[in-house]
Amino acid sequence: MANDEMKQIWKVPEPTLRRLPWYLAFLKLMKGRGEAFVSSTQIAKEINVDPSQVAKDLSFVNISGKTRVGYEISTLVDVLEDFLGFTAQHKAFLFGVGSLGAALLQDSGLKQYGLEIVGGFDVRRELAGTEINGIPVYHMDDFPAKQKEYGATIGVITVPVDKAQEVTELIIAGGIKALWNFTPFRIRVPEDIVVQNTSMYAHLAVMFNRLNSINH
């Protein structure tokens, strides 16, 4: 993705960025069924959003639909994948090879969306030298050397919550520029570091709360 495109994506509202992958998944299903064109109304009906919202979201992407025909699905898929950064491979290290970390290493689908985890790190020495899904696991002490070797830009954090900030500071000092934080701890980082927090516990809390409101 070119620098001007990167600047453009930073201007896109986060809710739009969250919806675009949903559109992409639906478009891939349609493409798999042999469909050639799709309208904003069709996408909106499937994703359960307003058609005007779909049109507005897609206005951030460098593509336009055809009157009475809609968008060419194959082209829209390609444009969305490129716009979202899924076509380029981003090297990443994972920190904390526990149950969640190991599960993420097993997820080969991440690479299809541009995230290539090239190594895992843990403080348990018995894990060093092992592999999960073909991905090597190293001791945390080896991070500086492996960072020089791989030049990873993304750190996936799945360490225990009480180690989250410590690991964050260590890997930022080592050159990691973006963090995908799976811990429920809100890590503190410099302004030039990108952070995406994904706490499953927070989503569980929302689900439980909504479930309770239905049952009462």
Side-chain angles (χ1 to χ4, degrees):
M1 185 178 291
N3 288 336
D4 56 341
E5 291 175 317
M6 286 299 295
K7 291 178 181 177
Q8 179 187 7
I9 200 168
W10 278 109
K11 299 177 182 178
V12 180
E14 186 168 331
T16 294
L17 286 174
R18 292 182 182 277
R19 284 188 294 267
L20 290 178
W22 287 99
Y23 302 166
L24 178 60
F26 172 58
L27 292 167
K28 285 185 173 181
L29 287 175
M30 293 193 70
K31 183 178 179 180
R33 295 197 296 260
E35 301 287 344
F37 291 91
V38 65
S39 67
S40 297
T41 302
Q42 285 177 284
I43 298 175
K45 184 177 180 181
E46 180 67 23
I47 309 300
N48 195 28
V49 296
D50 192 89
S52 62
Q53 183 64 66
V54 175
K56 183 177 180 180
D57 289 342
L58 293 180
S59 70
F60 290 101
V61 184
N62 187 26
I63 191 172
S64 57
K66 299 179 181 179
T67 305
R68 297 193 183 92
V69 177
Y71 300 93
E72 186 177 8
I73 292 176
S74 181
T75 301
L76 186 52
V77 166
D78 291 342
V79 170
L80 280 174
E81 286 186 328
D82 183 61
F83 184 81
L84 292 169
F86 293 162
T87 55
Q89 287 299 310
H90 304 80
K91 290 184 179 180
F93 282 142
L94 180 140
F95 300 89
V97 189
S99 55
L100 176 57
L104 288 172
L105 292 179
Q106 289 282 5
D107 187 358
S108 300
L110 291 173
K111 193 171 183 179
Q112 298 177 25
Y113 288 91
L115 186 70
E116 182 184 7
I117 300 179
V118 294
F121 292 86
D122 202 279
V123 295
R124 291 169 291 176
R125 295 197 177 277
E126 63 269 23
L127 292 180
T130 63
E131 289 188 356
I132 297 178
N133 194 26
I135 300 172
V137 177
Y138 307 104
H139 190 270
M140 276 298 299
D141 291 345
D142 295 326
F143 167 63
K146 293 303 175 183
Q147 175 64 345
K148 288 182 180 179
E149 179 181 347
Y150 288 98
T153 56
I154 298 173
V156 183
I157 303 177
T158 53
V159 298
V161 63
D162 61 331
K163 297 295 182 182
Q165 187 62 40
E166 178 184 344
V167 169
T168 293
E169 293 173 4
L170 174 67
I171 64 180
I172 288 176
I176 295 294
K177 300 299 183 184
L179 304 172
W180 192 5
N181 176 33
F182 280 86
T183 78
F185 185 81
R186 281 299 181 261
I187 53 178
R188 299 177 298 278
V189 302
E191 291 184 358
D192 61 341
I193 300 298
V194 178
V195 177
Q196 179 61 50
N197 293 301
T198 304
S199 173
M200 293 186 295
Y201 308 112
H203 292 300
L204 273 177
V206 172
M207 182 176 67
F208 291 156
N209 184 268
R210 290 177 177 173
L211 182 62
N212 288 335
S213 66
I214 292 174
N215 293 334
H216 291 86

